[in-house]
Amino acid sequence: MKDKFLIGELSKLFNISTDTLRYYDKINLVKPEHNENNDYRYYSIRNFFKLSRILFLKNLDISLSEIKKYMSNKNTNNLLCLLKKKEEEIDIKMNKLVNLKRKIQTKLELLENIEGQLDQIIIKKIPQRIGEFIDMNNVESDFEIKQNLKRNENYLKISSWLIEGQIYTSLSKENMDKRIFNKFRYFIEIVPVDSEFCKQLKIIPENEYVCITFLGPYRDMGKHYQLLIHWIEENGYQIAGDSIEKNIVDYDFSDSENEYISEIQIPIIKKT
C-alpha cells in the first residue's frame, strides 16, 4: 500500500477534514478502496488528482451536486458549460454587490452631509417619480393600516421602502392650501419601474420643489410646512401639487426623536 494514501494523509495534503473525505465517499464522489481486515480507507494516485480537481471546482463556489454531475460525464463542452454558468452567476452577484455598495454610499453621504443642509430652504429640480399612494386620512386602526398595505403588496416588494430603505409620506395640495398638516398618505415609489406597472401607477412629473430638511420630532412637521408655504407666497410662487416627505431617519433608525431627520418637498410654479 506504499503507492496509496491513507485518509489522514490525504486530508493533511489538501487541508480538509477526514469527515469531508468520508462524505465524498458517501455521495460517491471520491471512492477509496476499503480494507476489510483493518477498516482502513486507501486512496490511489488517480484519486489524488481527481480530488484536486474537485476542490478546484469547489473553490470556484460550484456546488457538489454540479461537480458530481460533471464528474459523471466529463468532457470539454461540459466543462465549458459549467464554468460559463458559474461566470454568469458571479456577474449577477458582482452587480448585486455594486448596487448594494452604491446604496450604502448614498445613505452614508446623505447622513454625513445632512448637518450642513439643516433648516435651509432650497429649490431643487427632482426627476419624475412613479408609484402609488396609500391614503391614511380615514384610517382609524392598525387593522385598516394592515389591509391597506396588503392591498398594495405587489408594489411594496419592488418599492423604495425595501430597495433604498426610504419611506415617503405626502400631503395633498388641497390640505396644504387649507393649512391642514395632519392628514397624510404614504407614497410607495417603485424602483426600478416595470413597464407593466406604469399604466396603473401615479406619475409625479419632474418639477422644481422648495425643500427644507430638519432635525427633530414629527410634531414639528407642521411648523416647517408653514415656513415653506410662507416662503412660497413671499417669493412669487404657488403650490403646484402634492408634497413628498422624506423620512431620512425615523423611529426605526433611532430611538431618540431628537435624531429624526425629515425633508419636506413641495412642488412649485411661478405665479402668472
Side-chain angles (χ1 to χ4, degrees):
M1 296 294 179
K2 290 182 180 180
D3 61 340
K4 291 181 171 58
F5 297 95
L6 291 171
I7 188 170
E9 292 175 322
L10 199 61
S11 69
K12 189 177 290 185
L13 282 169
F14 286 106
N15 195 29
I16 59 175
S17 70
T18 54
D19 285 342
T20 297
L21 286 170
R22 290 189 181 95
Y23 181 69
Y24 289 174
D25 178 12
K26 182 180 178 181
I27 64 173
N28 295 317
L29 189 56
V30 183
K31 295 291 292 182
E33 297 173 23
H34 189 244
N35 189 321
E36 294 181 358
N37 294 326
N38 56 21
D39 204 32
Y40 284 177
R41 291 177 175 84
Y42 295 98
Y43 291 84
S44 67
I45 296 295
R46 180 72 192 87
N47 277 339
F48 172 90
F49 286 110
K50 182 178 182 182
L51 181 60
S52 73
R53 298 301 184 266
I54 290 168
L55 294 178
F56 163 72
L57 295 173
K58 191 169 180 289
N59 284 333
L60 295 180
D61 201 30
I62 296 172
S63 70
L64 286 178
S65 60
E66 289 177 300
I67 294 171
K68 187 178 176 183
K69 183 180 178 182
Y70 166 70
M71 286 293 176
S72 67
N73 187 19
K74 300 188 294 293
N75 58 58
T76 305
N77 284 337
N78 285 345
L79 180 59
L80 282 170
C81 289
L82 186 67
L83 295 177
K84 284 181 178 178
K85 180 185 176 186
K86 195 63 202 179
E87 184 181 37
E88 289 171 3
E89 290 176 7
I90 290 170
D91 284 340
I92 291 169
K93 287 181 181 179
M94 285 175 65
N95 289 333
K96 184 177 180 181
L97 288 172
V98 168
N99 288 332
L100 286 174
K101 185 174 181 180
R102 189 180 298 123
K103 290 173 192 175
I104 290 170
Q105 286 175 331
T106 300
K107 201 72 173 177
L108 281 172
E109 287 171 10
L110 185 62
L111 293 171
E112 289 171 348
N113 299 324
I114 206 75
E115 191 173 332
Q117 302 172 23
L118 292 175
D119 299 319
Q120 294 184 27
I121 295 177
I122 59 172
I123 294 178
K124 293 196 290 190
K125 180 166 276 190
I126 298 178
Q128 171 182 284
R129 289 175 279 198
I130 298 177
E132 183 65 279
F133 287 96
I134 305 178
D135 197 341
M136 293 292 167
N137 291 334
N138 298 312
V139 172
E140 297 180 357
S141 68
D142 285 351
F143 174 77
E144 290 178 286
I145 294 174
K146 173 187 170 182
Q147 294 304 108
N148 265 351
L149 293 172
K150 284 183 72 175
R151 278 193 290 271
N152 290 276
E153 63 181 328
N154 288 337
Y155 300 134
L156 285 170
K157 292 171 186 175
I158 53 171
S159 75
S160 59
W161 293 24
L162 294 183
I163 295 172
E164 297 178 352
Q166 184 60 67
I167 293 178
Y168 299 100
T169 48
S170 173
L171 292 186
S172 68
K173 178 182 183 302
E174 180 185 6
N175 282 332
M176 285 188 286
D177 288 338
K178 293 177 180 178
R179 306 301 192 266
I180 298 172
F181 304 125
N182 60 351
K183 291 190 175 182
F184 71 94
R185 300 173 296 169
Y186 287 117
F187 175 61
I188 307 174
E189 184 183 15
I190 307 304
V191 185
V193 178
D194 185 290
S195 58
E196 284 303 310
F197 277 130
C198 285
K199 302 169 186 175
Q200 312 164 39
L201 298 173
K202 168 80 173 176
I203 296 176
I204 303 176
E206 179 180 88
N207 203 81
E208 286 191 329
Y209 287 75
V210 62
C211 308
I212 189 167
T213 303
F214 67 93
L215 188 68
Y218 296 141
R219 60 178 173 270
D220 291 346
M221 195 72 74
K223 178 177 70 176
H224 289 88
Y225 267 104
Q226 293 277 20
L227 281 172
L228 287 180
I229 293 170
H230 178 73
W231 185 96
I232 290 168
E233 293 171 346
E234 288 290 307
N235 288 273
Y237 289 93
Q238 62 188 40
I239 298 173
D242 302 340
S243 75
I244 294 291
E245 299 168 13
K246 198 173 177 182
N247 302 307
I248 299 165
V249 175
D250 58 15
Y251 46 74
D252 287 315
F253 285 142
S254 177
D255 291 328
S256 171
E257 64 178 9
N258 293 322
E259 291 186 343
Y260 295 174
I261 301 173
S262 306
E263 181 186 31
I264 301 171
Q265 306 167 351
I266 301 178
I268 54 173
I269 55 172
K270 271 287 186 182
K271 286 183 179 177
T272 54

